[in-house]
Amino acid sequence: MLVFAISDKGGTGRSVTSSNIVYRRALQGSDVCYLDFDFGSPTAGAIFSVSSVARGTTQGGMHGYLEGRLADPHRIDIWAESDREGLRAKPPGAGQMVLFPGDEGGGEFSTVSEEMLQRCVRLFARLEEEFDLCLVDLSAGRSFAAQMALAATARLPGVPFRWLVFHRWTRQHIIAADGLVRGRQGLLAVGVEHGHDKETLGDRIRFVRTAVLEPDAAELEGLRETQKAWLNECDRELRELAGRHRVGRTSMLGKIPLDPVLQWREQLISDEDVLSSQIANAETVAAFDDLAKKIVDDSAWEAL
Amino acid sequence: MTPAYATFGEVAAERRIASAPLSHVSIELGHLYMEDFQAGPDRLREQFRQVAPWAETMRRSWQSRVPGGRARVSTCFLIDDYFSRFSTPAELVPMVLEAAAECDLTIDYLARESACAEADGVMLARLVEDRLVTDPPAGSDGSRPPVTETGWLCNGTRSPYSGAVQAMGSARRWEPPAQNAKRRHSIFVDVELWDTDSRGRTWSCPFLAAVWQLLRLGLIRNEGELPVRPKPRGASFPSEWDDLPAIVQLNPAAAPFSAYSTLSVLSSRFLPVELAVRTILSQVFVDAQVLGQVADRSGGEGIRLPDELVDRISYVFLGA
Amino acid sequence: MLVMGEVRTGLLQNSGEIPESLCQSVLGLLSGERVRVSRRPIVYAVSPDQLTGVDCRLASASQARVRGVGTVLSRASVTGGRVLQGSSHIQVVRSESDHRLSWSHYLARPGVVEVFGKIRVPDLSEGFAESARNDCLDLGSVSERFMDAVQASPFLDRKAPFRSARTRLRWVAESGPTGSGGAESGPTGSGGAESGPTGSGGAESGRAGGGARTPEGTGIRFTLGRDQVRTLRLVLPGGFSPGIVDFCEDLALHDWLLTTLLVIVEKARVGTASRAEVTAKLAPAVDHLLHLWMPAARLDDAFAPFWETLERRPGFSRQWHSLVERVRDQVAINTLALLRETGGW
Ligand SMILES: Nc1ncnc2c1ncn2[C@@H]1O[C@H](COP(=O)(O)OP(=O)(O)O)[C@@H](O)[C@H]1O
Ligand SMILES: [Mg+2]
């Protein structure tokens, strides 16, 4: 299955959340891969702690492959190549976890040529043969990466795909997420242009809230009553706004709580971070784990 | 485990390739387009008058090569019914035959141009298109699919155009196209094979002419069978082009339609077309078994044919 | 003689095995040309031959610049309606010219790549087998493209029963010292094709490379490399025969079966996961793979000794049969246990 990760804005937590989903899915026993299609900023290597490709690869990655400069894009076995000790031993029963980084110094594309699109289709088709889950991290907003994803999936009718739209829990982000999906030149409109059915495509899109601070969270314990009341009111307003923009509970696949570790560093959260060093919150891992299951759980994707 | 000795050799549907009857040379006496027809029978007579001595020279040349002078020479004539339809077979064919006879020429076979696109339900042009193996520019290492511009075929590397570029990437300067087999300087040829409109695909004149040469050389097979066989002429010619067989045998005593080699006597206005035809033919892959059959047959007669298809084709270009 | 090729092998992307009639459709990559099928002992269907033009460097161990021009001969095949292979090869010969000729010259020699200058067989065969340089002849990509074309067939439902990686078998065959190698091909000693087993760089322990030299001056060396890469080097008496390609494809097929079954068994976590889980993970192997093992079924007798060598070491069939037994035992035990739990026994 192909899963496309997108957000209207940068810095929403799309890459960090997607990487953690991929990691959790691998721990759950699936063979997974992560494709860095954030062409303007190919930094996925950093999240997986592969320092040699922290800013992209020099050995020919997604850019070089899509431009036709090489046949086999650089692939990195995270279990073998991560700098983090804790990641370097594949737990028994875990699946493959492979990263396809972008090119170091690679930029956004200025157009999608037919050849590029064909290469993209071929790549998706081949990876789908090998991996249970291929997560494609797209550039923020309306991009050629997103257009290519829509066009390529339209040419692969037999390959199942889903979209995750990441947003933060704020007014601006809620409105923007809706606009990215349903607005002018949004995913649905462009998808239809490329031959997708609007209904079907719509059913394959879900929202993910990132870095959410619940009003009743432990972090907020010390607040004054007036502050709590104000927060509760904000949250109520946001829920209402989300409902109006069809970004509400029914179309939401999951939400990830604000986590102290992630606020400071983009990384995978291991069980060890929660259990032995106790730097990360158990709720965060639980949320990633839950999302990793829901992504492939058909009942979470029934038509709305 | 199966012991390694007990091998099984059964291959159902073993390839069987029909062989074509072959003359020594197929001479094309002319190619009739609407404008020639509109110019009237005198133009046609004039054409035949010019063609006759060249045809005779080719016939003699083969007679002197073959023991006992028993050269098998067949002649053919192609009428365009593909790009434009004019007149009717009933009206046109007798006129052509008459003009030829006045110049002491016998037309053995008459073919319709549309037969090169599709004949007897076989999509000949598609068959040939599927067998194009593009001439690779230096640096083609197999890692990428051959560079193709849909519907075009060239003999080298096109001038790069600024396709997809990356933001903040470096811009590209103009570079010239290059011929793959150039000798210092290039003669770059880029041929349009077909175009499409609301009625579908229209094959280009050079592409159909390339199919025509392959038919005359007896090198096309469809599932191992000969795709078109000449049909004997009826008592009269039909009033619709579609009712005329793809290739009509006019002369019952004619040598076979296909031949080891071909000669086309043409107006020099066809020179660019034939350059395009040769560009196409030099990139068509003909089944090795079919080539083998032809080589065996000709070898059996003591005739050695050039390996390369384009070298089996000769032309005479006539000035206006 | 110097022949080199690359076979890529993978699972046909369909829920079940496809019938012979469908093989005709999915492998019909060339109009006007039939797909050939053989039915015994297993249905094997092969596409018409396809050509791809190349003009590029050939990898050489000494890093010498060797330029070759010609055509790659490729075909796709489906075995048992289930396993797809893309296979490409070339014969390397010395060009009689010192510059590139017209393309029709090369088209008249399908599957031949002409090299300018003297051919140093050991240098080229070593280079091809060992390296995957970016700017050198890449037969694997050619093979993959034909596989992709088959996988994209509208007749396939793309609902494969399990995920699996494609394997890559790169092979080189050359004439032995007694063979008719021609004046060019010099001694083949340094290639090491007659040396003993080489270590395996792969993660799968228990399956190292195997190699031996038979008395008649032939030799075979099979090496299991990193990831999905395998190399095979053959020294043969005499010249090229199409049987070489059949042999390499057959070996690639069985290596893929073994590789894939190993992965399935590993993932089933026998002894750790619950019985029901283990059985569910092993089921696709029983349904789709176990019956496909038929080494050397369609091969030329001349290649039987090579299979026998490989059966001795690394011992393909031994490993396969022991795995198959393990799978069958697990499924049987787990079924019995489940029956007992549900009171049905
Ligand atoms: N759940 C979270 N809690 C706290 N910070 C987060 C959370 N998820 C992401 N972040 C932080 O937000 C920032 C942006 O995340 P990133 O994944 O790079 O966003 P994007 O890919 O959308 O641009 C990073 O510093 C990241 O660590
Ligand atoms: Mg990001």
Side-chain angles (χ1 to χ4, degrees):
Chain A
M1 177 186 297
L2 301 170
V3 174
F4 298 98
I6 197 169
S7 60
D8 187 67
K9 304 201 161 297
T12 52
R14 164 176 37 85
S15 302
V16 165
T17 312
S18 313
S19 307
N20 274 286
I21 293 174
V22 157
Y23 172 52
R24 288 289 141 190
R25 196 69 213 147
L27 291 178
Q28 289 162 11
S30 293
D31 291 328
V32 297
C33 67
Y34 184 103
L35 281 70
D36 197 348
F37 267 43
D38 188 350
F39 297 124
S41 168
T43 54
I47 306 176
F48 289 96
S49 306
V50 185
S51 56
S52 56
V53 296
R55 279 171 292 126
T57 176
T58 52
Q59 294 175 48
M62 288 292 98
H63 294 82
Y65 170 80
L66 289 168
E67 286 179 329
R69 279 185 277 119
L70 45 112
D72 286 312
H74 188 190
R75 64 191 276 165
I76 293 168
D77 176 358
I78 303 290
W79 297 125
E81 296 180 51
S82 176
D83 305 322
R84 263 178 80 180
E85 197 85 27
L87 286 180
R88 265 208 315 277
K90 185 172 127 184
Q96 281 193 74
M97 179 161 54
V98 173
L99 166 67
F100 289 91
D103 286 11
E104 186 173 322
E108 272 305 336
F109 291 106
S110 64
T111 173
V112 181
S113 68
E114 173 62 25
E115 285 79 20
M116 258 173 87
L117 180 55
Q118 284 175 8
R119 287 179 207 118
C120 181
V121 168
R122 202 176 307 131
L123 180 70
F124 287 171
R126 279 187 193 169
L127 293 180
E128 210 258 337
E129 251 178 82
E130 189 176 347
F131 295 95
D132 298 295
L133 174 71
C134 307
L135 197 140
V136 187
D137 185 17
L138 301 169
S139 309
R142 291 163 174 77
S143 65
F144 283 105
Q147 189 185 330
M148 188 152 59
L150 288 165
T153 46
R155 292 195 192 181
L156 291 165
V159 176
F161 68 87
R162 285 165 180 174
W163 285 74
L164 296 180
V165 180
F166 293 83
H167 66 90
R168 295 224 168 188
W169 193 233
T170 67
R171 281 189 67 82
Q172 224 191 345
H173 273 265
I174 289 168
I175 295 168
D178 178 31
L180 177 63
V181 175
R182 303 182 189 93
R184 284 189 59 192
Q185 296 301 106
L187 294 182
L188 291 178
V190 175
V192 168
E193 256 172 52
H194 285 286
H196 285 283
D197 175 63
K198 193 171 174 181
E199 291 272 305
T200 322
L201 181 59
D203 287 339
R204 293 179 174 191
I205 301 177
R206 291 289 187 277
F207 296 88
V208 176
R209 298 177 197 168
T210 54
V212 179
L213 191 59
E214 302 284 357
D216 57 355
E219 286 90 334
L220 303 179
E221 213 94 292
L223 293 186
R224 286 190 294 276
E225 280 310 309
T226 47
Q227 289 175 316
K228 279 188 185 165
W230 181 81
L231 275 181
N232 266 319
E233 178 56 18
C234 280
D235 192 54
R236 196 193 56 74
E237 269 177 32
L238 286 178
R239 269 184 279 134
E240 195 192 276
L241 182 75
R244 261 189 284 129
H245 281 276
R246 289 165 293 175
V247 183
R249 284 184 56 85
T250 44
S251 55
M252 177 191 78
L253 195 69
K255 58 179 163 186
I256 311 297
L258 184 88
D259 189 278
V261 168
L262 297 183
Q263 202 153 23
W264 289 97
R265 199 198 300 160
E266 298 80 0
Q267 67 164 61
L268 300 185
I269 297 193
S270 67
D271 292 340
E272 202 195 320
D273 294 332
V274 176
L275 299 175
S276 25
S277 63
Q278 303 200 344
I279 50 172
N281 290 333
E283 292 78 18
T284 314
V285 167
F288 286 144
D289 217 46
D290 178 57
L291 206 47
K293 284 183 186 137
K294 277 193 180 145
I295 271 187
V296 293
D297 175 5
D298 291 341
S299 67
W301 290 84
E302 274 159 14
L304 296 175
Chain B
M1 179 200 138
T2 315
Y5 307 108
T7 56
F8 292 78
E10 173 245 12
V11 171
E14 197 57 75
R15 290 186 85 219
R16 268 193 311 275
I17 303 288
S19 61
L22 293 163
S23 291
H24 290 116
V25 63
S26 152
I27 302 177
E28 180 178 5
L29 300 175
H31 190 151
L32 192 77
Y33 283 99
M34 166 109 85
E35 60 254 46
D36 306 299
F37 169 72
Q38 283 164 342
D42 284 344
R43 164 88 158 257
L44 202 56
R45 262 193 292 275
E46 179 54 30
Q47 251 183 44
F48 283 135
R49 224 187 317 279
Q50 286 190 27
V51 167
W54 298 105
E56 188 51 28
T57 304
M58 183 54 95
R59 184 185 299 274
R60 291 241 182 81
S61 147
W62 272 100
Q63 280 167 344
S64 67
R65 273 179 82 176
V66 183
R70 279 194 297 274
R72 300 187 302 277
V73 178
S74 69
T75 60
C76 57
F77 190 86
L78 189 67
I79 297 179
D80 173 34
D81 67 330
Y82 185 75
F83 296 102
S84 53
R85 290 246 164 139
F86 48 91
S87 186
T88 67
E91 186 186 346
L92 190 70
V93 178
M95 183 188 104
V96 171
L97 297 184
E98 206 171 293
E102 279 179 38
C103 304
D104 292 328
L105 285 174
T106 309
I107 298 178
D108 295 328
Y109 300 94
L110 185 100
R112 294 191 287 123
E113 183 137 13
S114 60
C116 299
E118 181 189 346
D120 304 334
V122 180
M123 313 299 269
L124 284 182
R126 284 270 185 192
L127 282 187
V128 174
E129 189 196 21
D130 268 6
R131 281 157 184 74
L132 287 174
V133 177
T134 47
D135 185 344
S140 305
D141 58 14
S143 64
R144 285 146 297 176
V147 186
T148 50
E149 283 300 328
T150 310
W152 288 79
L153 186 72
C154 71
N155 66 347
T157 313
R158 295 180 178 89
S159 186
Y161 73 107
S162 46
V165 290
Q166 292 173 31
M168 301 175 74
S170 44
R172 247 174 155 176
R173 287 180 47 188
W174 181 83
E175 283 168 54
Q179 179 187 3
N180 288 338
K182 70 177 176 190
R183 292 301 196 83
R184 180 163 185 152
H185 296 108
S186 285
I187 300 171
F188 179 75
V189 181
D190 207 344
V191 182
E192 187 168 15
L193 305 180
W194 46 263
D195 65 3
T196 46
D197 60 16
S198 55
R199 282 159 302 165
R201 180 179 285 197
T202 303
W203 298 97
S204 69
C205 165
F207 195 77
L208 294 182
V211 177
W212 173 234
Q213 289 285 6
L214 288 170
L215 272 178
R216 288 167 66 203
L217 289 170
L219 297 176
I220 306 184
R221 297 290 183 280
N222 177 47
E223 308 212 325
E225 298 295 325
L226 292 167
V228 211
R229 289 177 190 270
K231 304 242 169 30
R233 65 170 285 183
S236 62
F237 295 98
S239 55
E240 290 292 337
W241 287 105
D242 288 332
D243 297 335
L244 190 72
I247 301 175
V248 191
Q249 180 169 354
L250 301 169
N251 171 12
F257 169 74
S258 304
Y260 298 148
S261 64
T262 69
L263 169 70
S264 296
V265 187
L266 301 164
S267 154
S268 54
R269 71 186 154 102
F270 289 109
L271 192 84
V273 174
E274 294 303 322
L275 173 62
V277 168
R278 293 174 74 84
T279 302
I280 295 167
L281 285 180
S282 65
Q283 301 182 57
V284 173
F285 170 59
V286 175
D287 190 286
Q289 240 174 295
V290 175
L291 285 175
Q293 280 178 358
V294 177
D296 289 348
R297 289 273 302 284
S298 57
E301 292 189 63
I303 295 164
R304 183 161 158 62
L305 295 178
D307 284 343
E308 292 156 45
L309 296 190
V310 287
D311 293 340
R312 300 181 188 181
I313 301 170
S314 306
Y315 302 96
V316 173
F317 287 107
L318 302 170
Chain C
M1 173 198 66
L2 176 60
V3 189
M4 37 183 77
E6 187 160 341
V7 187
R8 302 236 170 153
T9 308
L11 185 70
L12 193 68
Q13 295 297 297
N14 199 56
S15 46
E17 67 181 45
I18 61 168
E20 193 190 311
S21 55
L22 212 55
C23 287
Q24 300 275 354
S25 313
V26 302
L27 291 172
L29 303 173
L30 192 61
S31 63
E33 197 58 63
R34 279 190 214 108
V35 169
R36 282 177 304 144
V37 181
S38 101
R39 300 184 184 82
R40 299 281 183 275
I42 188 165
V43 177
Y44 165 84
V46 60
S47 77
D49 286 345
Q50 305 268 359
L51 290 185
T52 306
V54 290
D55 174 350
C56 60
R57 273 182 75 170
L58 302 189
S60 79
S62 66
Q63 306 288 321
R65 290 203 154 262
V66 181
R67 179 184 174 202
V69 184
T71 57
V72 176
L73 198 62
S74 307
R75 62 187 187 188
S77 61
V78 174
T79 304
R82 191 68 274 189
V83 186
L84 172 64
Q85 294 189 291
S87 165
S88 303
H89 71 272
I90 57 163
Q91 285 184 69
V92 181
V93 304
R94 182 176 182 162
S95 173
E96 282 166 16
S97 154
D98 60 354
H99 61 268
R100 189 176 151 163
L101 302 171
S102 69
W103 183 236
S104 43
H105 167 85
Y106 301 102
L107 266 188
R109 292 156 184 81
V112 171
V113 166
E114 297 186 353
V115 163
F116 299 104
K118 191 167 156 51
I119 296 176
R120 286 154 59 216
V121 171
D123 192 31
L124 287 183
S125 55
E126 189 91 344
F128 181 77
E130 306 311 330
S131 90
R133 281 184 51 115
N134 229 334
D135 55 346
C136 291
L137 179 65
D138 179 357
L139 296 179
S141 290
V142 180
S143 300
E144 292 243 352
R145 274 200 299 282
F146 291 111
M147 280 177 91
D148 290 343
V150 174
Q151 299 286 37
S153 163
F155 298 101
L156 302 179
D157 64 19
R158 282 212 72 100
K159 296 189 173 66
F162 54 90
R163 307 284 122 187
S164 61
R166 295 180 182 179
T167 53
R168 310 168 167 204
L169 176 79
R170 208 175 297 144
W171 59 270
V172 188
E174 59 193 85
S175 305
T178 53
S180 54
E184 305 271 56
S185 34
T188 52
S190 70
E194 64 281 277
S195 63
T198 51
S200 152
E204 301 150 37
S205 56
R207 264 217 309 158
R213 191 188 174 88
T214 53
E216 312 87 54
T218 61
I220 180 167
R221 188 171 79 182
F222 177 76
T223 313
L224 203 64
R226 264 179 60 111
D227 299 327
Q228 315 300 330
V229 180
R230 289 95 177 82
T231 53
L232 175 69
R233 300 191 57 182
L234 293 168
V235 178
L236 302 163
F240 175 75
S241 87
I244 300 175
V245 184
D246 293 334
F247 171 74
C248 296
E249 290 174 5
D250 195 44
L251 179 57
L253 177 83
H254 289 89
D255 171 68
W256 179 86
L257 283 171
L258 193 48
T259 304
T260 308
L261 187 58
L262 274 166
V263 171
I264 291 180
V265 171
E266 187 204 302
K267 278 204 200 149
R269 290 198 298 150
V270 176
T272 312
S274 75
R275 292 202 180 282
E277 273 173 328
V278 171
T279 309
K281 287 265 170 67
L282 294 178
V286 177
D287 291 345
H288 300 279
L289 297 182
L290 298 194
H291 59 286
L292 298 176
W293 190 261
M294 285 180 205
R298 286 173 297 100
L299 293 191
D300 215 305
D301 281 340
F303 291 91
F306 286 126
W307 254 116
E308 284 163 20
T309 307
L310 292 172
E311 290 292 21
R312 274 197 302 279
R313 201 170 46 212
F316 276 94
S317 288
R318 230 180 305 141
Q319 193 177 5
W320 173 264
H321 291 309
S322 104
L323 264 178
V324 168
E325 255 168 58
R326 184 149 183 237
V327 169
R328 294 233 159 98
D329 287 351
Q330 276 298 317
V331 172
I333 292 172
N334 295 347
T335 312
L336 285 180
L338 280 172
L339 278 174
R340 207 177 297 134
E341 277 164 31
T342 54
W345 191 61

